[in-house]
């Protein structure tokens, strides 16, 4: 009986928390392509393959905030992340590294999401863009 009450209380507390919509569709992802578009800062487009499971998880757990974007931002994208499970495409997420508005946008089940990039996420993507190299597992 005591455990039942405990689980009910924990469930009640967790029900008030917003679950990150990326967790379920990306739970089985094992890699993503990091595509950088040709922009004023990048002379030609290029793609980096990210296969380290920790870096894959960090992207959607730590680098993309679960906080909705609450300001209008320009739709100039610096690139996209293409999450995969083997050869199966799971989700494409476009990103902007604009210093005043760094964010991602994606669509899940017909609903469009715009989420902020964390400071660590901006730093990771900027570094990857600048050095064009990611250490793999």
């Amino acid at each position: 009986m005591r455990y039942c009450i405990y689980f009910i209380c924990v469930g009640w507390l967790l029900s008030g928390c917003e679950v990150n919509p990326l967790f379920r569709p990306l739970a089985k992802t094992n890699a993503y392509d990091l595509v950088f578009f040709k922009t004023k800062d990048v002379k030609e487009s290029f793609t980096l393959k990210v296969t380290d499971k920790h870096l894959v998880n960090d992207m959607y757990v730590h680098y993309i905030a679960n906080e909705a974007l609450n300001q209008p931002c320009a739709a100039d994208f610096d690139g996209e992340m293409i999450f995969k499970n083997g050869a199966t495409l799971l989700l494409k997420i476009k990103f902007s590294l604009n210093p005043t508005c760094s964010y991602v946008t994606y669509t899940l089940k017909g609903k469009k999401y715009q989420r902020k990039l964390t400071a660590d996420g901006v730093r990771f993507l900027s570094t990857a863009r600048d050095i064009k190299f990611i250490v793999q597992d």
Side-chain angles (χ1 to χ4, degrees):
M1 179 66 175
R2 188 175 346 162
Y3 292 113
C4 183
I5 293 172
Y6 172 77
F7 286 121
I8 290 171
C9 289
V10 168
W12 179 70
L13 289 172
L14 291 177
S15 67
C17 298
E18 184 180 350
V19 176
N20 187 330
L22 291 174
F23 287 168
R24 180 159 284 150
L26 296 182
K28 293 184 179 182
T29 192
N30 58 5
Y32 67 92
D33 292 342
L34 191 50
V35 181
F36 289 94
F37 301 150
K38 182 178 179 178
T39 64
K40 64 179 177 123
D41 296 327
V42 178
K43 302 299 180 213
E44 61 182 290
S45 63
F46 63 94
T47 301
L48 300 173
K49 308 264 185 216
V50 181
T51 58
D52 180 283
K53 185 64 174 167
H54 297 293
L55 288 176
V56 172
N57 290 344
D58 283 350
M59 181 51 69
Y60 69 90
V61 174
H62 299 296
Y63 296 163
I64 298 173
N66 196 28
E67 184 179 345
L69 193 64
N70 50 5
Q71 66 185 33
C73 294
D76 56 332
F77 295 107
D78 293 287
E80 69 182 348
M81 296 167 264
I82 304 170
F83 287 87
K84 303 174 182 178
N85 181 10
T88 305
L89 181 136
L90 299 175
L91 183 64
K92 286 186 178 186
I93 300 177
K94 290 189 177 184
F95 63 87
S96 172
L97 297 174
N98 185 321
T100 59
C101 189
S102 301
Y103 73 103
V104 299
T105 185
Y106 56 93
T107 303
L108 283 174
K109 296 183 181 178
K111 183 176 178 184
K112 185 175 180 175
Y113 293 88
Q114 290 186 318
R115 298 289 191 244
K116 294 179 181 182
L117 279 169
T118 65
D120 288 339
V122 171
R123 196 169 17 263
F124 174 81
L125 291 170
S126 297
T127 302
R129 177 191 62 200
D130 295 343
I131 64 173
K132 297 181 182 178
F133 181 73
I134 296 176
V135 176
Q136 299 296 341
D137 197 19

